[in-house]
Amino acid sequence: MNRRQFNLGLLGTAGAIAFRPLALQPRLRVNGSRLIAHINALAEFGKNPQGGVSRLAYSEADRRGREYVIELMQQAKLETAIDAAGNIVGRRAGSDKALPPLLFGSHIDSVPEGGNYDGVVGSLGGIEVAQTLVENNLTTHHPLEVVIFQNEEGGLIGSRAMNGELTEKELDLVSRSGKTIREGIRFLGGDPTKLSSVRRQPGSIAAYLELHIEQGGILETEKIDIGIVEGIVGINWWDVTIEGFANHAGTTPMNQRQDALLAAAKFIEAVNRVVTSIPGRQVGTVGRIQALPGAPNVIPGKVILSLELRDLGAAKIQMLYQKIRTEADQIAHTNKVTFDFKEINVNIPAPTDARIRSLINDSAKDLELSTKQMPSGAGHDAQDMARLAPVGMIFIPSVGGISHSPKEFSRLRDILNGANVLLHTLLKLDRANLAVDGSIT
Ligand SMILES: [Zn+2]
């Protein structure tokens, strides 16, 4: 033992933080067998006969799964607390008290009859990263916070409490567990009267990172190891009402009809044509339709259908919408019907931070992994954190592109790749200084 090691040893035995200068640790890896053992153990809480989990937020399985996660956090020497919204936050001090924290994590609640990987890989992967740092005696400059957001699947409740979007009215909505959100927060050990204490201010978080399964089949099909998420797509949803005139199907000649369903059919075709007429990864869907009065011998007088558009750019969604409106005007004219568009819901796109994307790419390259930049078509807690801080998301392949199903599966190798990319991106982020002007200093 040389003198330097001796001093570090002393610090260690004194219980103080060992300030080993945090150079990049290119050979540092998470403990794969431990991480997999944790994922398998968590799968016992809410286990369903089909081989997945039904761990609905605010259920007994959710609460017991969270207790297990808290144990893991404590083993990783994280200072663990449940915030007033019911999120679990495990904190580790950094060497520089002036720096804002780096956050990373995900969620452990599931949909009914869900799988063992959605949210779990990022949650337990995050705890594994913290454990790897502590057992290698590595202290980051920034404080670290591993966050397990509550009730992601039921409307991103925990992360929306953190960014201040969760409204008082929403607390009375009944979740799939049968409890209201307010009751659920209490059930998890939070306090719905103190939600303001959970709220973070923009700028108070250095960055947020989330590891997650892709939930689609692009990475697996293209044999790519790591997806670098460009952003979480915006979703705009309208209900469209088409009014024609209901009349006798036997006595009304074809040239005198005001058939709302025929107009709807032309409209559905037009939506597909407009959305595919320009390059890009935008998607547009008519997923629900109702024709009234709904009888074989009556010309449909009224149709209500849904229109949903998704893209990373809000401007592109608007541009597509305008083109679709123009098409609707023409259909209205030739078919003697009217169209009415009612906006139901708007989720604005949440782009990830370009600098973090490049750090994820560098980390994957160092680990000799292939990467692809891609949008996330599904929602994630990261979209709420994007209102507060620069965010980055790391995707790993979902076998068969299956998710929200007991058949959801990600390979061991891919899970470890993802956790190691998370670890090294975090270390790179810790050394970087993400200036407000968009540069890395
Ligand atoms: Zn998820």
Side-chain angles (χ1 to χ4, degrees), residues 250-298:
T251 60
T252 315
M254 296 307 280
N255 63 356
Q256 286 177 25
R257 297 179 175 215
Q258 291 172 264
D259 185 335
L261 189 52
L262 179 64
K266 292 179 178 174
F267 177 78
I268 294 166
E269 188 279 326
V271 168
N272 188 272
R273 181 160 35 79
V274 166
V275 172
T276 54
S277 66
I278 51 168
R281 284 167 296 193
Q282 65 280 353
V283 290
T285 307
V286 175
R288 195 190 58 206
I289 184 163
Q290 187 188 16
L292 298 168
N297 55 358
V298 183

Side-chain angles (χ1 to χ4, degrees), residues 107 118-119 152-153 212 215 380:
H107 63 97
D118 178 358
E152 191 270 352
E153 299 291 0
H212 205 282
Q215 299 182 277
H380 295 290

Side-chain angles (χ1 to χ4, degrees), residues 90-110:
R91 206 177 146 86
R92 183 159 186 252
S95 58
D96 186 342
K97 285 196 173 61
L99 291 174
L102 281 167
L103 269 63
F104 51 110
S106 195
H107 63 97
I108 67 151
D109 65 300
S110 82

Side-chain angles (χ1 to χ4, degrees), residues 356-424:
I356 300 181
R357 290 201 295 269
S358 89
L359 294 180
I360 295 171
N361 193 46
D362 293 346
S363 304
K365 264 210 190 105
D366 293 347
L367 293 159
E368 296 177 354
L369 301 172
S370 55
T371 61
K372 180 190 177 80
Q373 301 233 5
M374 60 195 298
S376 169
H380 295 290
D381 291 309
Q383 74 198 59
D384 299 327
M385 300 309 288
R387 315 259 199 278
L388 300 173
V391 302
M393 270 198 96
I394 302 159
F395 273 176
I396 59 162
S398 293
V399 173
I402 301 168
S403 181
H404 283 188
S405 155
K407 293 199 168 65
E408 179 179 280
F409 182 67
S410 286
R411 284 178 297 254
L412 169 70
R413 179 191 49 163
D414 292 323
I415 294 170
L416 299 191
N417 288 342
N420 282 318
V421 171
L422 176 66
L423 169 67
H424 286 282

Side-chain angles (χ1 to χ4, degrees), residues 167-186:
T167 62
E168 190 65 24
K169 221 167 105 187
E170 275 177 276
L171 296 178
D172 292 320
L173 296 177
V174 179
S175 70
R176 278 183 283 208
S177 66
K179 297 182 183 69
T180 63
I181 307 284
R182 194 188 305 276
E183 289 162 350
I185 289 173
R186 284 220 171 85

Side-chain angles (χ1 to χ4, degrees), residues 100-174:
L102 281 167
L103 269 63
F104 51 110
S106 195
H107 63 97
I108 67 151
D109 65 300
S110 82
V111 293
E113 297 186 12
N116 291 319
Y117 302 89
D118 178 358
V120 169
V121 168
S123 298
L124 300 189
I127 297 171
E128 177 57 36
V129 164
Q131 176 106 50
T132 302
L133 293 177
V134 79
E135 65 196 11
N136 286 278
N137 226 5
L138 297 169
T139 301
T140 49
H141 303 287
H142 293 76
L144 301 180
E145 291 183 27
V146 182
V147 187
I148 311 300
F149 291 106
Q150 64 101 332
N151 200 357
E152 191 270 352
E153 299 291 0
L156 306 166
I157 303 299
S159 52
R160 288 173 58 248
M162 204 173 266
N163 80 7
E165 282 177 9
L166 186 67
T167 62
E168 190 65 24
K169 221 167 105 187
E170 275 177 276
L171 296 178
D172 292 320
L173 296 177
V174 179

